[in-house]
Amino acid sequence: QVQLAESGGGSVQAGGSLRLSCATSGVIQRRACMGWFRQAPGKEREGVAGVHIGTERPYYADSMKDRFTVSYDRDKKAMLLQMNNLKPEDSAMYFCAAADLVCKMVVGDERIQTDLGAWGQGTQVTVSS
């Protein structure tokens, strides 16, 4: 069974940066995608960014690409999310997931299904103005 663990969240001022990591244990299939999702109180979960494990092709939700960069560290078996120029509206619980359809879920081509694949427990990001 695949298990995921997020880390790197915290509190920063607007304009600051954070680097999130999603560490994996178990076997991740090369056909699978890993992705980041976020959810703020009172709002629905939304896709942020993802990466295809086999090709390392990145995927981004709208308005994320200019400030966020997703990558996959094959040696560490970890997905990374570099977040720059953070804004208060970025404040949310950030979750990572792994499944074949995750990249489609990130960009909005498939609905976000939390019962599909593996999900981590989340890491909190808080951006102060």
Side-chain angles (χ1 to χ4, degrees):
Q1 299 288 341
V2 176
Q3 292 182 312
L4 308 176
E6 304 94 335
S7 63
S11 298
V12 297
Q13 287 189 300
S17 298
L18 285 173
R19 191 178 197 181
L20 306 184
S21 177
C22 176
T24 68
S25 62
V27 176
I28 302 291
Q29 299 290 339
R30 286 178 286 274
R31 68 173 180 268
C33 276
M34 295 182 66
W36 290 98
F37 302 82
R38 68 186 187 187
Q39 188 167 23
K43 295 186 176 181
E44 294 194 353
R45 190 167 299 192
E46 63 177 341
V48 178
V51 59
H52 188 273
I53 301 302
T55 66
E56 300 183 19
R57 175 184 174 182
Y59 295 79
Y60 296 94
D62 289 344
S63 74
M64 302 293 179
K65 191 173 183 178
D66 59 335
R67 297 186 297 118
F68 295 179
T69 303
V70 66
S71 61
Y72 183 68
D73 188 328
R74 195 167 298 277
D75 290 338
K76 296 184 178 295
K77 294 177 58 180
M79 177 181 62
L80 308 176
L81 183 68
Q82 179 67 46
M83 304 188 294
N84 297 323
N85 192 24
L86 285 163
K87 303 175 180 180
E89 51 263 44
D90 295 318
S91 297
M93 184 73 74
Y94 283 70
F95 301 89
C96 68
D100 289 3
L101 291 176
V102 158
C103 289
K104 290 185 180 294
M105 293 157 57
V106 164
V107 302
D109 289 343
E110 294 283 347
R111 69 185 188 278
I112 298 174
Q113 302 169 69
T114 58
D115 60 347
L116 178 65
W119 288 78
Q121 295 298 306
T123 185
Q124 180 67 46
V125 171
T126 302
V127 184
S128 302
S129 61

mmCIF file of all heavy atoms in Angstrom, residues 33-35 48-61 65 68-72 79-81 103-104 106-107:
data_model
loop_
_atom_site.group_PDB
_atom_site.id
_atom_site.type_symbol
_atom_site.label_atom_id
_atom_site.label_comp_id
_atom_site.label_asym_id
_atom_site.label_seq_id
_atom_site.Cartn_x
_atom_site.Cartn_y
_atom_site.Cartn_z
ATOM 1 N N CYS A 33 0.139 9.574 -11.377
ATOM 2 C CA CYS A 33 0.442 10.973 -11.144
ATOM 3 C C CYS A 33 0.398 11.262 -9.651
ATOM 4 O O CYS A 33 -0.348 10.622 -8.902
ATOM 5 C CB CYS A 33 -0.563 11.887 -11.845
ATOM 6 S SG CYS A 33 -0.211 12.219 -13.578
ATOM 7 N N MET A 34 1.189 12.218 -9.224
ATOM 8 C CA MET A 34 1.091 12.763 -7.887
ATOM 9 C C MET A 34 0.695 14.223 -8.003
ATOM 10 O O MET A 34 1.115 14.907 -8.940
ATOM 11 C CB MET A 34 2.412 12.629 -7.127
ATOM 12 C CG MET A 34 2.834 11.197 -6.861
ATOM 13 S SD MET A 34 4.368 11.088 -5.895
ATOM 14 C CE MET A 34 3.824 11.801 -4.332
ATOM 15 N N GLY A 35 -0.093 14.691 -7.056
ATOM 16 C CA GLY A 35 -0.560 16.064 -7.149
ATOM 17 C C GLY A 35 -0.806 16.701 -5.798
ATOM 18 O O GLY A 35 -0.967 16.014 -4.781
ATOM 19 N N VAL A 48 -3.900 22.181 -7.315
ATOM 20 C CA VAL A 48 -2.805 23.142 -7.332
ATOM 21 C C VAL A 48 -1.804 22.796 -8.428
ATOM 22 O O VAL A 48 -1.625 23.545 -9.392
ATOM 23 C CB VAL A 48 -2.104 23.218 -5.970
ATOM 24 C CG1 VAL A 48 -0.927 24.186 -6.025
ATOM 25 C CG2 VAL A 48 -3.082 23.628 -4.881
ATOM 26 N N ALA A 49 -1.149 21.660 -8.292
ATOM 27 C CA ALA A 49 -0.132 21.236 -9.251
ATOM 28 C C ALA A 49 0.094 19.745 -9.118
ATOM 29 O O ALA A 49 -0.169 19.163 -8.068
ATOM 30 C CB ALA A 49 1.183 21.995 -9.033
ATOM 31 N N GLY A 50 0.595 19.131 -10.176
ATOM 32 C CA GLY A 50 0.874 17.710 -10.150
ATOM 33 C C GLY A 50 2.001 17.350 -11.090
ATOM 34 O O GLY A 50 2.474 18.181 -11.874
ATOM 35 N N VAL A 51 2.444 16.104 -11.010
ATOM 36 C CA VAL A 51 3.531 15.631 -11.852
ATOM 37 C C VAL A 51 3.310 14.158 -12.177
ATOM 38 O O VAL A 51 2.919 13.374 -11.309
ATOM 39 C CB VAL A 51 4.902 15.861 -11.170
ATOM 40 C CG1 VAL A 51 4.979 15.145 -9.826
ATOM 41 C CG2 VAL A 51 6.039 15.423 -12.073
ATOM 42 N N HIS A 52 3.536 13.799 -13.438
ATOM 43 C CA HIS A 52 3.457 12.404 -13.857
ATOM 44 C C HIS A 52 4.751 11.704 -13.461
ATOM 45 O O HIS A 52 5.842 12.183 -13.773
ATOM 46 C CB HIS A 52 3.235 12.321 -15.366
ATOM 47 C CG HIS A 52 2.957 10.948 -15.881
ATOM 48 N ND1 HIS A 52 3.958 10.081 -16.243
ATOM 49 C CD2 HIS A 52 1.793 10.279 -16.078
ATOM 50 C CE1 HIS A 52 3.427 8.940 -16.651
ATOM 51 N NE2 HIS A 52 2.118 9.041 -16.556
ATOM 52 N N ILE A 53 4.643 10.580 -12.774
ATOM 53 C CA ILE A 53 5.817 9.915 -12.226
ATOM 54 C C ILE A 53 6.737 9.402 -13.331
ATOM 55 O O ILE A 53 7.962 9.549 -13.253
ATOM 56 C CB ILE A 53 5.413 8.755 -11.301
ATOM 57 C CG1 ILE A 53 4.552 9.287 -10.142
ATOM 58 C CG2 ILE A 53 6.648 8.043 -10.760
ATOM 59 C CD1 ILE A 53 5.236 10.352 -9.318
ATOM 60 N N GLY A 54 6.158 8.811 -14.363
ATOM 61 C CA GLY A 54 6.967 8.220 -15.415
ATOM 62 C C GLY A 54 7.702 9.233 -16.271
ATOM 63 O O GLY A 54 8.897 9.070 -16.556
ATOM 64 N N THR A 55 7.018 10.291 -16.687
ATOM 65 C CA THR A 55 7.592 11.285 -17.585
ATOM 66 C C THR A 55 8.054 12.549 -16.877
ATOM 67 O O THR A 55 8.775 13.354 -17.472
ATOM 68 C CB THR A 55 6.579 11.689 -18.665
ATOM 69 O OG1 THR A 55 5.477 12.371 -18.053
ATOM 70 C CG2 THR A 55 6.058 10.457 -19.391
ATOM 71 N N GLU A 56 7.637 12.755 -15.643
ATOM 72 C CA GLU A 56 7.903 13.956 -14.853
ATOM 73 C C GLU A 56 7.297 15.204 -15.482
ATOM 74 O O GLU A 56 7.720 16.320 -15.190
ATOM 75 C CB GLU A 56 9.403 14.128 -14.607
ATOM 76 C CG GLU A 56 10.017 12.972 -13.848
ATOM 77 C CD GLU A 56 11.484 13.169 -13.530
ATOM 78 O OE1 GLU A 56 11.958 14.316 -13.558
ATOM 79 O OE2 GLU A 56 12.157 12.163 -13.245
ATOM 80 N N ARG A 57 6.283 15.017 -16.322
ATOM 81 C CA ARG A 57 5.587 16.170 -16.882
ATOM 82 C C ARG A 57 4.798 16.876 -15.797
ATOM 83 O O ARG A 57 4.046 16.241 -15.063
ATOM 84 C CB ARG A 57 4.646 15.721 -17.993
ATOM 85 C CG ARG A 57 3.783 16.836 -18.563
ATOM 86 C CD ARG A 57 2.811 16.315 -19.600
ATOM 87 N NE ARG A 57 1.903 17.352 -20.050
ATOM 88 C CZ ARG A 57 0.932 17.169 -20.927
ATOM 89 N NH1 ARG A 57 0.741 15.972 -21.468
ATOM 90 N NH2 ARG A 57 0.146 18.181 -21.271
ATOM 91 N N PRO A 58 4.957 18.206 -15.685
ATOM 92 C CA PRO A 58 4.207 18.946 -14.666
ATOM 93 C C PRO A 58 2.830 19.368 -15.149
ATOM 94 O O PRO A 58 2.609 19.588 -16.344
ATOM 95 C CB PRO A 58 5.093 20.166 -14.407
ATOM 96 C CG PRO A 58 5.732 20.417 -15.738
ATOM 97 C CD PRO A 58 5.950 19.058 -16.353
ATOM 98 N N TYR A 59 1.923 19.498 -14.215
ATOM 99 C CA TYR A 59 0.576 19.979 -14.473
ATOM 100 C C TYR A 59 0.272 21.068 -13.460
ATOM 101 O O TYR A 59 0.664 20.969 -12.298
ATOM 102 C CB TYR A 59 -0.454 18.859 -14.342
ATOM 103 C CG TYR A 59 -0.313 17.751 -15.364
ATOM 104 C CD1 TYR A 59 0.646 16.763 -15.219
ATOM 105 C CD2 TYR A 59 -1.153 17.694 -16.471
ATOM 106 C CE1 TYR A 59 0.776 15.750 -16.150
ATOM 107 C CE2 TYR A 59 -1.030 16.683 -17.406
ATOM 108 C CZ TYR A 59 -0.070 15.714 -17.246
ATOM 109 O OH TYR A 59 0.055 14.707 -18.175
ATOM 110 N N TYR A 60 -0.453 22.101 -13.903
ATOM 111 C CA TYR A 60 -0.796 23.201 -13.027
ATOM 112 C C TYR A 60 -2.243 23.599 -13.216
ATOM 113 O O TYR A 60 -2.750 23.623 -14.337
ATOM 114 C CB TYR A 60 0.077 24.422 -13.288
ATOM 115 C CG TYR A 60 1.539 24.209 -12.999
ATOM 116 C CD1 TYR A 60 2.418 23.822 -13.999
ATOM 117 C CD2 TYR A 60 2.041 24.392 -11.714
ATOM 118 C CE1 TYR A 60 3.759 23.617 -13.734
ATOM 119 C CE2 TYR A 60 3.382 24.192 -11.437
ATOM 120 C CZ TYR A 60 4.239 23.806 -12.455
ATOM 121 O OH TYR A 60 5.568 23.610 -12.185
ATOM 122 N N ALA A 61 -2.893 23.907 -12.129
ATOM 123 C CA ALA A 61 -4.187 24.555 -12.203
ATOM 124 C C ALA A 61 -3.998 26.005 -12.649
ATOM 125 O O ALA A 61 -2.895 26.564 -12.561
ATOM 126 C CB ALA A 61 -4.887 24.507 -10.849
ATOM 127 N N LYS A 65 0.895 28.544 -12.171
ATOM 128 C CA LYS A 65 2.172 28.280 -12.826
ATOM 129 C C LYS A 65 3.192 29.392 -12.627
ATOM 130 O O LYS A 65 4.403 29.117 -12.586
ATOM 131 C CB LYS A 65 1.947 28.031 -14.324
ATOM 132 C CG LYS A 65 3.169 27.496 -15.052
ATOM 133 C CD LYS A 65 2.835 27.111 -16.481
ATOM 134 C CE LYS A 65 4.026 26.503 -17.184
ATOM 135 N NZ LYS A 65 3.687 26.089 -18.566
ATOM 136 N N PHE A 68 4.110 28.972 -8.509
ATOM 137 C CA PHE A 68 4.385 27.654 -7.943
ATOM 138 C C PHE A 68 5.126 26.790 -8.959
ATOM 139 O O PHE A 68 4.864 26.862 -10.157
ATOM 140 C CB PHE A 68 3.089 26.938 -7.554
ATOM 141 C CG PHE A 68 2.311 27.594 -6.443
ATOM 142 C CD1 PHE A 68 1.110 27.044 -6.031
ATOM 143 C CD2 PHE A 68 2.774 28.738 -5.813
ATOM 144 C CE1 PHE A 68 0.388 27.628 -5.006
ATOM 145 C CE2 PHE A 68 2.056 29.334 -4.789
ATOM 146 C CZ PHE A 68 0.847 28.765 -4.385
ATOM 147 N N THR A 69 6.035 25.956 -8.466
ATOM 148 C CA THR A 69 6.758 25.028 -9.306
ATOM 149 C C THR A 69 6.728 23.645 -8.667
ATOM 150 O O THR A 69 7.141 23.492 -7.519
ATOM 151 C CB THR A 69 8.215 25.463 -9.521
ATOM 152 O OG1 THR A 69 8.253 26.781 -10.093
ATOM 153 C CG2 THR A 69 8.920 24.492 -10.468
ATOM 154 N N VAL A 70 6.245 22.661 -9.413
ATOM 155 C CA VAL A 70 6.165 21.298 -8.914
ATOM 156 C C VAL A 70 7.263 20.461 -9.564
ATOM 157 O O VAL A 70 7.616 20.677 -10.730
ATOM 158 C CB VAL A 70 4.775 20.683 -9.186
ATOM 159 C CG1 VAL A 70 4.527 20.507 -10.683
ATOM 160 C CG2 VAL A 70 4.614 19.355 -8.452
ATOM 161 N N SER A 71 7.811 19.528 -8.824
ATOM 162 C CA SER A 71 8.849 18.654 -9.346
ATOM 163 C C SER A 71 8.798 17.323 -8.614
ATOM 164 O O SER A 71 8.153 17.194 -7.571
ATOM 165 C CB SER A 71 10.234 19.290 -9.218
ATOM 166 O OG SER A 71 10.543 19.543 -7.856
ATOM 167 N N TYR A 72 9.486 16.346 -9.173
ATOM 168 C CA TYR A 72 9.562 15.028 -8.556
ATOM 169 C C TYR A 72 11.021 14.653 -8.364
ATOM 170 O O TYR A 72 11.798 14.666 -9.319
ATOM 171 C CB TYR A 72 8.851 13.976 -9.411
ATOM 172 C CG TYR A 72 8.834 12.601 -8.794
ATOM 173 C CD1 TYR A 72 8.094 12.356 -7.648
ATOM 174 C CD2 TYR A 72 9.561 11.558 -9.351
ATOM 175 C CE1 TYR A 72 8.077 11.102 -7.066
ATOM 176 C CE2 TYR A 72 9.548 10.301 -8.772
ATOM 177 C CZ TYR A 72 8.809 10.072 -7.630
ATOM 178 O OH TYR A 72 8.786 8.836 -7.053
ATOM 179 N N MET A 79 7.520 14.256 -3.986
ATOM 180 C CA MET A 79 7.038 15.344 -4.823
ATOM 181 C C MET A 79 7.225 16.653 -4.063
ATOM 182 O O MET A 79 6.861 16.753 -2.892
ATOM 183 C CB MET A 79 5.563 15.138 -5.169
ATOM 184 C CG MET A 79 4.958 16.268 -5.972
ATOM 185 S SD MET A 79 3.192 16.009 -6.350
ATOM 186 C CE MET A 79 2.493 15.954 -4.694
ATOM 187 N N LEU A 80 7.769 17.653 -4.739
ATOM 188 C CA LEU A 80 8.066 18.935 -4.129
ATOM 189 C C LEU A 80 7.200 20.023 -4.742
ATOM 190 O O LEU A 80 6.835 19.968 -5.913
ATOM 191 C CB LEU A 80 9.541 19.294 -4.312
ATOM 192 C CG LEU A 80 10.558 18.238 -3.882
ATOM 193 C CD1 LEU A 80 11.967 18.697 -4.220
ATOM 194 C CD2 LEU A 80 10.426 17.940 -2.396
ATOM 195 N N LEU A 81 6.873 21.017 -3.940
ATOM 196 C CA LEU A 81 6.143 22.180 -4.423
ATOM 197 C C LEU A 81 6.823 23.427 -3.885
ATOM 198 O O LEU A 81 6.760 23.703 -2.683
ATOM 199 C CB LEU A 81 4.676 22.143 -3.986
ATOM 200 C CG LEU A 81 3.810 23.298 -4.499
ATOM 201 C CD1 LEU A 81 3.637 23.192 -6.021
ATOM 202 C CD2 LEU A 81 2.445 23.311 -3.815
ATOM 203 N N CYS A 103 -3.488 13.898 -11.992
ATOM 204 C CA CYS A 103 -3.139 15.060 -12.798
ATOM 205 C C CYS A 103 -4.355 15.643 -13.508
ATOM 206 O O CYS A 103 -4.472 16.862 -13.650
ATOM 207 C CB CYS A 103 -2.042 14.707 -13.799
ATOM 208 S SG CYS A 103 -0.428 14.438 -13.035
ATOM 209 N N LYS A 104 -5.265 14.784 -13.958
ATOM 210 C CA LYS A 104 -6.509 15.274 -14.533
ATOM 211 C C LYS A 104 -7.363 15.970 -13.482
ATOM 212 O O LYS A 104 -8.051 16.944 -13.768
ATOM 213 C CB LYS A 104 -7.285 14.124 -15.176
ATOM 214 C CG LYS A 104 -6.641 13.581 -16.445
ATOM 215 C CD LYS A 104 -7.518 12.517 -17.095
ATOM 216 C CE LYS A 104 -6.883 11.981 -18.368
ATOM 217 N NZ LYS A 104 -6.805 13.033 -19.420
ATOM 218 N N VAL A 106 -6.114 17.630 -10.951
ATOM 219 C CA VAL A 106 -5.437 18.895 -10.683
ATOM 220 C C VAL A 106 -5.896 19.983 -11.648
ATOM 221 O O VAL A 106 -6.193 21.113 -11.238
ATOM 222 C CB VAL A 106 -3.910 18.728 -10.753
ATOM 223 C CG1 VAL A 106 -3.212 20.085 -10.874
ATOM 224 C CG2 VAL A 106 -3.398 17.990 -9.532
ATOM 225 N N VAL A 107 -5.957 19.667 -12.938
ATOM 226 C CA VAL A 107 -6.268 20.671 -13.951
ATOM 227 C C VAL A 107 -7.760 20.829 -14.175
ATOM 228 O O VAL A 107 -8.165 21.684 -14.967
ATOM 229 C CB VAL A 107 -5.572 20.354 -15.292
ATOM 230 C CG1 VAL A 107 -4.067 20.283 -15.102
ATOM 231 C CG2 VAL A 107 -6.096 19.048 -15.887
#
